[in-house]
Amino acid sequence: MSKPFTKADCLIPDWPAPANVHALVTTRLGGVSQPPFNSLNLGTHVGDSPADVTENRRRLRSLLPAEPCWLNQVHGTDVVCADNRVETPQDADASFARQPGAVCVVMTADCLPVLLCDQAGTVVAAAHAGWRGLLNGVIESTVKSMGVPPSQLMAWLGPAIGPDAFEVGPEVYAAFVEQNFAADTAFEEIPDNKYLADIYKLARQRLAKLGVQQVYGGDFCTVVERERFFSYRRNGRTGRMASVVWIS
């Protein structure tokens, strides 16, 4: 019999959020899925055993006040309200909540999870920010949906592909720099007309431009930390982690 799943199997954000704001990120530890999804895969769309995913989600649910507002993530910018959770996941890449007990969640395996809350502990949000969503404004859409001045928000950047591993083509570099020339500093040119991209820096730039001054996290690499995190870039066929946030 496997050991009980606890918060010790998760990553707890290190940020000065109000006492009534709670957040965690699952790792690949503490579940029942078999390789290559070992062990706490929470994604239903990656080819894992449905029964195993159901059990893994049950384990996560045991740490939460309610079933999370699962999304059908499409690398877009739509944001839904987790206060009105529905059984069928909606096509969206972020959610926000103002009601105590409503749980926002995004799943990742290299893309950047961004958790947000206000200093008063009245609203929280979670955004799935791969480079496409980041470029197209998923952070901006999420902050707008929260309905409070950005200066009153704080953000935590969860585990994503690190700046030494995120190789992109010149079209990605050009798209970001065309929007904001300062994005040039988040890219390092390497041989074969490629670039290394710092998705954490790109997100920080976007948050700063909005007026979000308190930004934490951003010191992980899902590709390198193979025992702790799933990575699509590293493995291709792999599981998904969940980043969740809620108000009590």
Side-chain angles (χ1 to χ4, degrees):
M1 186 173 179
S2 60
K3 69 181 182 64
F5 179 69
T6 69
K7 281 188 178 180
D9 294 303
C10 303
L11 180 64
I12 306 300
D14 182 12
W15 62 339
N20 69 319
V21 172
H22 311 275
L24 59 85
V25 181
T26 63
T27 64
R28 61 186 307 164
L29 307 175
V32 299
S33 292
Q34 300 302 303
F37 308 108
N38 51 309
S39 67
L40 193 78
N41 166 47
L42 297 164
T44 60
H45 61 295
V46 296
D48 194 4
S49 157
D52 287 349
V53 178
T54 296
E55 170 58 18
N56 290 340
R57 288 192 173 192
R58 185 198 67 77
R59 293 183 178 204
L60 172 60
R61 170 67 181 83
S62 71
L63 302 181
L64 308 175
E67 184 69 21
C69 179
W70 298 104
L71 305 174
N72 181 32
Q73 297 170 190
V74 294
H75 295 278
T77 62
D78 286 348
V79 185
V80 300
C81 180
D83 296 338
N84 307 315
R85 188 183 71 82
V86 294
E87 289 301 319
T88 302
Q90 302 172 74
D91 288 353
D93 284 84
S95 64
F96 69 94
R98 294 191 177 90
Q99 294 297 320
V103 181
C104 299
V105 61
V106 290
M107 285 189 293
T108 58
D110 286 335
C111 289
L112 172 64
V114 182
L115 302 182
L116 300 119
C117 71
D118 69 329
Q119 295 168 4
T122 65
V123 60
V124 294
H128 162 242
W131 74 260
R132 291 179 182 83
L134 200 59
L135 178 70
N136 292 326
V138 69
I139 288 180
E140 290 84 347
S141 296
T142 305
V143 167
K144 183 179 179 180
S145 75
M146 296 177 76
V148 297
S151 61
Q152 296 178 15
L153 297 176
M154 67 182 72
W156 183 80
L157 309 180
I161 187 169
D164 295 329
F166 192 18
E167 188 175 302
V168 300
E171 73 285 352
V172 177
Y173 167 80
F176 276 99
V177 173
E178 183 179 344
Q179 283 190 1
N180 176 19
F181 185 73
D184 172 75
T185 62
F187 292 87
E188 177 188 344
E189 192 168 5
I190 58 175
D192 300 323
N193 196 28
K194 298 284 188 179
Y195 292 83
L196 290 175
D198 187 341
I199 200 167
Y200 290 122
K201 188 167 188 177
L202 291 168
R204 287 191 182 98
Q205 288 177 339
R206 299 248 166 179
L207 289 161
K209 190 173 182 180
L210 288 168
V212 180
Q213 299 165 353
Q214 296 187 71
V215 182
Y216 305 90
D219 50 2
F220 310 95
C221 181
T222 48
V223 175
V224 172
E225 297 182 68
R226 60 177 60 243
E227 300 301 320
R228 194 181 194 190
F229 301 127
F230 294 115
S231 169
Y232 181 80
R233 181 68 66 105
R234 183 185 65 230
N235 297 122
R237 194 162 180 252
T238 192
R240 297 294 185 272
M241 302 167 295
S243 297
V244 299
V245 63
W246 72 95
I247 298 169
S248 63

